[in-house]
Every structure is written in C-alpha cells, then in structure tokens.
Amino acid sequence: MLVALHDCLKDLFVVPFCPICKKAIQPRPQADHPCSECTQKLGLVEFGLRGITPVRFNAAGWYRGELRRHILRLRLNQDLSVLKAITFALQPTLPARALLVPIPSWKAEKRANPLPALICQSLGRTTKTLLKRCRPTVGQHHLSRRQRLVNMKSAFAIDPDHRSSCVAARPTWIVDDILTSGATAQEALKTLKHAGFEVRGLICLGRTP
C-alpha cells in the first residue's frame, strides 16, 4: 500500500523531462523517450535507420548535424541517459535474448572509444566482449575504402577468456558507434561467423551519409 502511494505521488509531483535537452515533456512519456523536438533535431528514425550495405545494419540515424555533434560529445562525457534516449528506437528491433558484442578499440585503454560498450549497456541486452584486436591497425579517418579494408584484414580474433559455448546459438549483433565504409564491421562479422556465432548484423548510433 505504501509503495503504491509513493509511486502515485511520484507520478503527480515529478515532472518528466527529455533526457537530451532536459526540457519538461507532456504528456508523460515512456522511460528514456526523447522529446519530439530532439527526435526531429537529431534526425532519430522510428525503429532505426535500416540497410544492408556495406553490412546489414540498424542505426539511430544519419551521422551528420546534431546527431554527429551529440555522438562526439558522448565520447567525452559518457552520459548514459542521453545515450539511452538516442538508442530508444533501436530497443524494439532486438529480441530479449539478443547477444551484443561491442567492437574493441584499437587504441590504448585510456584513449579507447568507450561508446560501443556504453551502447550495449543502454540497450540492456546480454553483452559479451568476445572480440579482441590481434594486430595493430592505423587510424582510418583519412583512408579510402580500399585502404580501410586492407587495414582491417584479420584484425580481430575471438577472445578465449570471454567465450562461452552456451551463447554461440543466440542471435548476435556487433555494436559500434559509427558505420562508414563497413571495413571494421565486416571483419568483426567474419570473425564471429567463423567461430560459429549466428550474427544478424550491426547496431550503431550513426550511419555516415
């Protein structure tokens, strides 16, 4: 009775707000739901932006404008509430038993990109760090697509410390923050498939136009 009363009073007096812009939202939204203004401004797509080229993917939106600025900002401030709002539309696309595998960074731990692991956390599905980098690669910002493919060739291996035979049959998605040429995603997908995982595709925040 007291718990029910507490929840009722909380609903009456706590004003819901957008996790991204922090403005009040009426009527009361679902938890983690961004406001309509932020949804439009960031170009967030209902049920995600889907495609099959260069790999099968589902992204929150196009990597440009406000969404690009928020993604770059998230690498620094790692605001999970904002990340949950951006990935809100991706939630229905993943079954409850989905297995998420974040793409490991090629940089040292202190300089590594934290977003793949945080995206997994925001989606609330089982996550396994199955992949590891097995050789050094160079930064890809200024490489052509062909150069990126060569750069990422055989860059991943299955981490024996995190592998479990009981998860190989689960529907699996790799997770990264941005999809550009697809070189990294293709190599990660190939590594997991060769190890017997049922890989469905890539989940990411932004797809480069």
Side-chain angles (χ1 to χ4, degrees):
M1 176 69 81
L2 289 175
V3 173
L5 181 60
H6 174 271
D7 290 342
C8 182
L9 291 172
K10 184 178 179 181
D11 285 343
L12 285 172
F13 295 110
V14 177
V15 178
F17 63 90
C18 172
I20 298 174
C21 68
K22 312 304 182 187
K23 293 179 181 177
I25 306 178
Q26 294 295 344
R28 181 174 292 278
Q30 291 176 259
D32 306 320
H33 198 298
C35 68
S36 57
E37 186 178 340
C38 284
T39 298
Q40 185 175 7
K41 186 187 293 185
L42 271 66
L44 302 178
V45 181
E46 185 177 8
F47 303 120
L49 176 70
R50 305 185 188 197
I52 58 172
T53 304
V55 296
R56 187 175 297 278
F57 71 90
N58 199 355
W62 292 107
Y63 182 63
R64 63 189 176 193
E66 282 298 313
L67 181 57
R68 179 179 181 275
R69 281 188 280 274
H70 272 76
I71 292 173
L72 295 176
R73 198 176 299 135
L74 281 166
R75 289 183 180 179
L76 298 175
N77 63 27
Q78 301 177 37
D79 189 329
L80 191 59
S81 63
V82 172
L83 197 53
K84 284 183 176 180
I86 291 175
T87 61
F88 181 83
L90 301 179
Q91 288 278 359
T93 69
L94 292 169
R97 62 189 297 270
L99 175 67
L100 304 182
V101 180
I103 296 285
S105 177
W106 57 273
K107 295 180 180 178
E109 186 175 350
K110 288 184 178 180
R111 298 175 58 237
N113 180 6
L115 285 185
L118 284 173
I119 295 166
C120 293
Q121 188 178 342
S122 75
L123 292 168
R125 301 298 192 273
T126 300
T127 300
K128 296 283 185 180
T129 52
L130 294 170
L131 295 170
K132 67 174 184 178
R133 297 272 180 163
C134 57
R135 68 170 182 80
T137 55
V138 299
Q140 304 205 118
H141 295 83
H142 304 294
L143 300 182
S144 66
R145 185 173 189 277
R146 182 179 179 84
Q147 290 171 326
R148 291 181 181 214
L149 290 169
V150 173
N151 184 45
M152 294 308 303
K153 189 173 179 61
S154 303
F156 296 110
I158 299 296
D159 190 337
D161 294 334
H162 294 90
R163 178 165 186 170
S164 173
S165 58
C166 66
V167 298
R170 297 175 68 166
T172 303
W173 279 261
I174 58 172
V175 179
D176 208 356
D177 55 344
I178 304 163
L179 172 63
T180 304
S181 68
T184 303
Q186 286 175 318
E187 202 59 39
L189 286 165
K190 186 191 303 182
T191 302
L192 286 167
K193 285 181 177 179
H194 284 175
F197 288 86
E198 183 192 340
V199 188
R200 300 288 180 86
L202 169 75
I203 297 291
C204 61
L205 298 181
R207 169 69 169 113
T208 302

